[in-house]
Amino acid sequence: LNTDGNKNQIIREVLEEICQYFGFGCSFVYTMDHKANFNLYEAYRTYKDFDHLQNTIRLQELLGEEDYHEFCRKTIIATGTSEQNTTMETKLTDLFKAQSIVVIPINGKGNAIQAFLGIADRRSRHRQGDQDIRFAYSLLAVIANYIKTIISQWQSEGNMRTLSSVLNNTGVDVYLTDCYTDEVLYRNESMAKRYGGEENVIGKKCWEVMLEDKTCACDFCPRNRLIDENQEPTEVYIWNLHNE
């Protein structure tokens, strides 16, 4: 998981190893979309004719409100042991058409579920059941944290796309500078276009970009006006400048 490369392929290879080690028929990762559907993100099937994995699952509808909340609260769900299954566990085994299953819900902020992963349909038992469950949980928990990082990256990228869309349609130039170095870190599309492209803006000093005759920071730079003498945030600072 620490190697560079295609994340899907990495997860697929790890799922394959876990699946084979524990003697299960399949392993899978489902991620939730904005409509609360769980979509199959990645999977490994031991057998080519294993078609028990649905591409999209409406888990809340399939489990029902009460069992769904129970599912979300669990750190691990393991069936196929000697204990009698709960109704939620029975519904899961029916969903995956499996006699045994191990599932880990993946929760994000506010403990809201974002995804789940698991292994299902055990073919053989190589080791003691209780030891297997604890070890499986340890391994799957590592993958769960890896997937949580991927989901967090998706969300950040989505937020950035939304913010960029807003800033690109304001009708004004917008740029962001490093408070200590004056280097431009971000620009919207109109800003880049005005100064001949991103390569002429990003990484440059803001005063180098906009004022060709400047050799140092501008006198009116707002950087020194961000906080007052009491180290408190100041009011809005506005200045006028005619740029040739």
Side-chain angles (χ1 to χ4, degrees), residues 11-47:
I11 292 175
R12 192 182 312 118
E13 291 175 355
V14 173
L15 291 177
E16 177 181 353
E17 290 185 14
I18 290 179
C19 202
Q20 292 178 348
Y21 178 83
F22 289 103
F24 274 77
C26 70
S27 46
F28 49 82
V29 177
Y30 282 86
T31 58
M32 188 170 69
D33 61 21
H34 66 284
K35 295 182 179 179
N37 294 319
F38 285 92
N39 301 305
L40 187 61
Y41 172 67
E42 197 52 74
Y44 171 75
R45 299 167 176 84
T46 305
Y47 309 100

Side-chain angles (χ1 to χ4, degrees), residues 134-151:
R134 287 195 295 269
F135 188 39
Y137 173 72
S138 299
L139 294 177
L140 293 174
V142 173
I143 305 174
N145 287 330
Y146 183 79
I147 294 168
K148 188 182 293 187
T149 302
I150 293 175
I151 293 174

Side-chain angles (χ1 to χ4, degrees), residues 44-163:
Y44 171 75
R45 299 167 176 84
T46 305
Y47 309 100
K48 292 182 179 179
D49 60 346
F50 195 97
D51 58 354
H52 299 173
L53 298 178
Q54 300 180 31
N55 289 325
T56 300
I57 299 175
R58 293 285 297 175
L59 193 61
Q60 190 166 1
E61 292 180 3
L62 292 170
L63 295 182
E65 198 72 28
E66 185 176 342
D67 288 332
Y68 179 75
H69 286 309
E70 180 189 353
F71 175 87
C72 296
R73 290 193 300 267
K74 292 281 189 177
T75 55
I76 182 172
I77 298 137
T79 71
T81 58
S82 57
E83 295 86 2
Q84 186 173 354
N85 294 338
T86 65
T87 56
M88 182 269 292
E89 293 169 343
T90 300
K91 290 175 183 177
L92 277 181
T93 54
D94 290 343
L95 172 63
F96 289 98
K97 300 178 182 178
Q99 293 183 347
S100 55
I101 188 171
V102 178
V103 175
I104 292 186
I106 302 174
N107 296 324
K109 292 182 179 179
N111 215 30
I113 189 167
Q114 296 178 310
F116 66 86
L117 76 155
I119 47 181
D121 201 17
R122 191 164 210 183
R123 300 304 194 194
S124 59
R125 184 181 295 274
H126 302 298
R127 289 154 296 277
Q128 293 297 318
D130 289 343
Q131 293 178 350
D132 266 6
I133 291 174
R134 287 195 295 269
F135 188 39
Y137 173 72
S138 299
L139 294 177
L140 293 174
V142 173
I143 305 174
N145 287 330
Y146 183 79
I147 294 168
K148 188 182 293 187
T149 302
I150 293 175
I151 293 174
S152 178
Q153 182 179 346
W154 290 346
Q155 292 172 340
S156 297
E157 291 171 352
N159 291 338
M160 188 61 186
R161 284 193 297 270
T162 300
L163 179 60

